[in-house]
Amino acid sequence: MKSRLMRGAVAVLVCIFASGCSEDKPPVIFDGGTDAGDTDTGSDTGVETGWDSVTIMNVSAPDEYTVEIVLHGAPPVEDAADVDSYEIGSDFGSLVIGSASYDSDAKTVTLTTTRQKLGITYLLKITADEAPDNLEDSFLSADTAEFWVVNFGGSGYGQYQIVANRAYVGQLCVVYLEEGFYPSNVLESGIYFDSDVYPIETDLFIDAPDQDGNGKITMLGLDGQGYYGGYFAPTNAYSDDFTYSNWGIHSNEMEIIHINVAYGDFDQGGGIVAHEFQHLLYHERHGFNEYWTYHDEGMAESAVRAVNGDYQYAIGFYFSDYSGLIGSGSVSLVNWTFALYENYVTAFLFWGYIAGQLDGVDTYSDIFHLETGDPDEVDTFLEAQMGLSFKEVQLNQMIATWVQDPTGVYGYEGFLTLNGSTPPGVLSGVSSVDLEPFAGTYFSFSQDSVDYPGTQGADIVYAGIDSAGNVDLMPPFNKQDGALLVLNSDFEHSSYPTQHSGPDIAAGSKGVGYPGGTSSNPLMWTGVFDGVFPPAWYDPPPYNPENPEPFYRWKEATEQRLMNIGE
């Protein structure tokens, strides 16, 4: 597969590096096709001579509400300080000029304007009487901008403002970086978004909204410390007046995703941008609807697969099971535990299996457009599309994760590549686990077949899988040199009562490995550096002011994790 940089290069030939990444100057990666200004070096006596002798040396927008014009020559002072002497327009609308001041010594006009749209090239025209018709120049909006961001380290859902420097302008995105942060791969990330993320996800899911009217998504790189890899705040999709009067929360009033650059790069692997952009589109489609996390977050991970064609990061994490939570049966597909990446990868594999069994990537669109992702709705969808119930599909998906047939119901049809990996199961000596609904695991022991012990819960189902990949769904379950799959098929999805799994036979030792990786350290299999948890795992749920509980559950778990890391 060609690199993202190669695939996106044609679309952004106008992208350039205009300056390096010094400590006191942010990278300017895109000049927007603007004119650098008149380079006339004729004499300037400072004596007022009229507009005919004036040229524009440079136009810039230091911030969202200011435009500065550097002139050569001496215009009529009264005209130069008159708002009616100027017009500012663009393909995305004009700016209203509120005031004008003129510094005759610096030959600089300063205009205040209505809020500029980010990532837009504006055209300034000097329209004063007797000014030449061609006295004009273009400039990029807002060299710096202020943004409201979430204070994850504070109490509740606090906010504060940061100032960020424009670092990239592309066809479909504009990137700003918090002052003091200059990741090296902004250009690549911007191109990746323009050429891959935006077109693939909007074609697959839904057209992106454009409330700020600039035709672009804003990506803000900021200091997220250890709290997250990225986040999407749905409140930015509404007006500031609305969000503040109803919830006491400020809105940036734009399509924006936030990327943590505290680790030194701007989403080097590409997964965070694709994941967070799905959240933006998900909110556009579903709003503050009844919310099922496994649906939204599972589709956000699936979006990474849709964009990149593969997602070994998530697959590798599932099979390495560094925490042991997956193998112990502690992860329910539906009952979400926040700040736990095990839930993400479990949902990712489930939706990926369904996509492989149906129409591939296009099935992601069908799943995305389910009204809520409620298990009952998913059950109806699966009955209609596959002729199977939710619980039957989940059982088949777990069998497929072990068997990995190239085709058929016990495989992923090549849609996900599992590399012949052995799924994580219970530890040696474990004879039974208490499973929540929609949770399951695998037992390996020397006994060739096993029956239900009679102590298992009413909704526990078994499947025997032998070493050749043959599946036995009837007791006694043959699992010669293979595994016994146990699943709690209870469809109760409000209180999630656990059930005793059986088989009441102590499991033997079973190697767990991921052939897709090369390191003996399972954390390194997924590209983690120095044993530090990758920031993509810490994904705040989109904050719903009408139902803030998921966010606060995530926040509590994240604060506990940070405390444990510090000990």
Side-chain angles (χ1 to χ4, degrees), residues 150 152 156-157 159 231-238 242-243 246-250 279 282-283 286-293 296-297 338 371-372 539-555:
V150 179
F152 288 96
Y157 188 84
Q159 291 179 296
Y231 75 89
F232 165 69
T235 49
N236 287 315
Y238 306 91
F242 178 83
T243 59
N246 284 276
W247 305 312
I249 296 170
H250 285 289
H279 283 319
Y282 191 93
H283 184 73
H286 299 280
F288 289 128
N289 207 345
E290 177 187 346
Y291 185 74
W292 286 86
T293 309
D296 182 12
E297 295 292 1
F338 291 95
E371 289 302 318
T372 66
D539 175 55
Y543 179 73
N544 179 356
E546 303 290 344
N547 179 28
E549 181 187 357
F551 177 83
Y552 289 121
R553 287 169 58 193
W554 170 86
K555 196 169 185 291

Side-chain angles (χ1 to χ4, degrees), residues 200 204-205 278 295 298-307 311 347-356 358-370 381 412 415-416:
I200 291 174
L204 187 61
F205 299 134
Q278 190 280 158
H295 184 232
M299 292 312 300
E301 289 295 276
S302 299
V304 182
R305 157 63 181 89
V307 171
Y311 197 16
F348 168 72
L349 286 176
F350 180 70
W351 299 127
Y353 172 78
I354 294 169
L358 294 174
D359 298 317
V361 170
D362 289 343
T363 300
Y364 281 159
S365 179
D366 297 332
I367 297 169
F368 174 91
H369 283 286
L370 294 173
F381 169 78
Y412 284 75
F415 186 73
L416 299 181

Side-chain angles (χ1 to χ4, degrees), residues 214-530:
N214 67 347
K216 292 178 171 63
I217 305 300
T218 299
M219 297 196 291
L220 176 62
L222 73 166
D223 181 11
Q225 302 178 52
Y227 285 98
Y228 57 85
Y231 75 89
F232 165 69
T235 49
N236 287 315
Y238 306 91
S239 73
D240 188 65
D241 286 344
F242 178 83
T243 59
Y244 199 75
S245 62
N246 284 276
W247 305 312
I249 296 170
H250 285 289
S251 168
N252 290 303
E253 300 181 320
M254 65 180 65
E255 292 69 39
I256 181 171
I257 59 176
H258 302 72
I259 306 299
N260 187 354
V261 294
Y263 293 86
D265 64 65
F266 196 99
D267 186 22
Q268 187 70 52
I272 301 174
V273 167
H275 179 110
E276 299 304 333
F277 186 53
Q278 190 280 158
H279 283 319
L280 188 154
L281 298 179
Y282 191 93
H283 184 73
E284 174 67 8
R285 168 64 177 84
H286 299 280
F288 289 128
N289 207 345
E290 177 187 346
Y291 185 74
W292 286 86
T293 309
Y294 85 109
H295 184 232
D296 182 12
E297 295 292 1
M299 292 312 300
E301 289 295 276
S302 299
V304 182
R305 157 63 181 89
V307 171
N308 292 336
D310 198 359
Y311 197 16
Q312 288 300 307
Y313 178 97
I315 294 170
F317 184 90
Y318 176 89
F319 283 97
S320 63
D321 190 24
Y322 88 99
S323 68
L325 291 173
I326 296 173
S328 68
S330 301
V331 179
S332 167
L333 169 64
V334 170
N335 189 21
W336 202 263
T337 303
F338 291 95
L340 200 67
Y341 194 58
E342 286 82 352
N343 277 110
Y344 290 73
V345 296
T346 300
F348 168 72
L349 286 176
F350 180 70
W351 299 127
Y353 172 78
I354 294 169
Q357 290 293 313
L358 294 174
D359 298 317
V361 170
D362 289 343
T363 300
Y364 281 159
S365 179
D366 297 332
I367 297 169
F368 174 91
H369 283 286
L370 294 173
E371 289 302 318
T372 66
D374 179 300
D376 294 310
E377 182 186 16
V378 174
D379 186 61
T380 300
F381 169 78
L382 295 175
E383 287 280 7
Q385 298 295 318
M386 302 174 68
L388 298 171
S389 67
F390 190 125
K391 62 183 69 176
E392 290 172 319
V393 171
Q394 187 179 9
L395 180 66
N396 288 345
Q397 179 256 322
M398 291 191 67
I399 295 172
T401 304
W402 185 287
V403 174
Q404 299 176 35
D405 281 343
T407 60
V409 70
Y410 297 143
Y412 284 75
E413 296 286 346
F415 186 73
L416 299 181
T417 305
L418 306 188
N419 297 301
S421 313
T422 301
V426 300
L427 295 176
S428 176
V430 174
S431 60
S432 182
V433 292
D434 292 330
L435 298 175
E436 289 185 347
F438 307 95
T441 188
Y442 308 85
F443 283 80
S444 293
F445 41 80
S446 59
Q447 192 169 313
D448 288 342
S449 66
V450 63
D451 206 339
Y452 288 116
T455 59
Q456 80 282 357
D459 298 286
I460 297 295
V461 295
Y462 290 172
I465 308 170
D466 69 18
S467 59
N470 298 307
V471 178
D472 189 353
L473 298 177
M474 298 296 294
F477 301 93
N478 177 43
K479 41 87 39 213
Q480 184 175 14
D481 299 324
L484 178 73
L485 187 162
V486 298
L487 172 68
N488 184 349
S489 66
D490 185 7
F491 214 63
E492 201 289 326
H493 44 276
S494 57
S495 62
Y496 300 97
T498 61
Q499 295 186 21
H500 181 85
S501 74
D504 300 339
I505 300 171
S509 61
K510 177 180 71 67
V512 176
Y514 179 55
T518 57
S519 171
S520 60
N521 179 356
L523 287 175
M524 297 300 293
W525 292 343
T526 54
V528 185
F529 43 91
D530 298 331

Side-chain angles (χ1 to χ4, degrees), residues 62 71 149 161 164 169 192 198-199 214 296 303 309 370 372 413 458 496 564:
L71 301 175
V149 299
Q161 276 188 303
V169 177
Y192 166 59
Y198 186 101
N214 67 347
D296 182 12
L370 294 173
T372 66
E413 296 286 346
Y496 300 97
N564 292 339

